[in-house]
Amino acid sequence: MKKKPSIGRSESDVLRFIAESGGASVTEVGDYLAATKGQTRNTALNMMERLRQKGFVARKKVDGVYHYFPSQEKERLLQSFVEDFVDGVLGGSVAPLVAYLGSRTEVDERQFEELRKLVQALEKTRDDT
């Protein structure tokens, strides 16, 4: 199985911005990085091109300007971030993540329902094996 390329925190921040924006130009990402991190447009371009080379974004010319779009849906992208975190940082153990989720007090009803469905799906998977 081919190992998927990894991305660092700064690249994941840019990728999340692009995904939440529904696509973005280098200027838009540059403005975002300048406002939030004090970084330059050149830094934005370099990160966006690295993300493109790694297959996380694609670009398309719109009115003469390249716009970058995530190569997968936002939900799948976020799942990929969690998978990378669990595998890389937590060594594959979901227990610390579950403990963290259990200690959060600001889980709204929609999030709680998603967690409930996840637990039910996990129980069904375990029962089927």
Side-chain angles (χ1 to χ4, degrees):
M1 182 176 189
K2 186 178 176 185
K3 185 179 186 235
K4 68 180 177 177
S6 63
I7 62 175
R9 180 171 279 177
S10 294
E11 288 175 330
S12 65
D13 190 35
V14 167
L15 184 53
R16 190 172 44 252
F17 175 81
I18 292 170
E20 289 173 354
S21 300
S25 68
V26 173
T27 300
E28 292 166 332
V29 174
D31 290 347
Y32 165 73
L33 290 177
T36 60
K37 310 224 185 290
Q39 296 175 331
T40 66
R41 181 186 184 283
N42 247 12
T43 301
L45 175 60
N46 289 335
M47 279 195 272
M48 293 166 80
E49 278 302 305
R50 278 197 311 266
L51 288 169
R52 188 172 72 88
Q53 291 168 358
K54 293 177 181 181
F56 288 97
V57 297
R59 72 179 186 187
K60 177 180 164 187
K61 231 176 203 179
V62 178
D63 296 327
V65 176
Y66 281 116
H67 281 73
Y68 292 73
F69 301 90
S71 55
Q72 51 189 295
E73 291 181 17
K74 184 180 172 189
E75 287 301 315
R76 179 62 198 126
L77 179 65
L78 294 174
Q79 284 179 339
S80 178
F81 285 163
V82 173
E83 287 171 8
D84 289 347
F85 178 75
V86 169
D87 292 343
V89 176
L90 301 179
S93 173
V94 296
L97 182 59
V98 172
Y100 166 75
L101 292 173
S103 69
R104 290 191 61 174
T105 57
E106 67 271 1
V107 176
D108 64 29
E109 190 58 39
R110 181 188 58 78
Q111 292 170 325
F112 190 75
E113 184 58 32
E114 287 177 18
L115 289 169
R116 185 180 295 119
K117 287 178 183 176
L118 177 61
V119 169
Q120 290 170 347
L122 288 170
E123 287 174 337
K124 183 178 181 336
T125 301
R126 189 179 75 186
D127 291 344
D128 289 344
T129 57

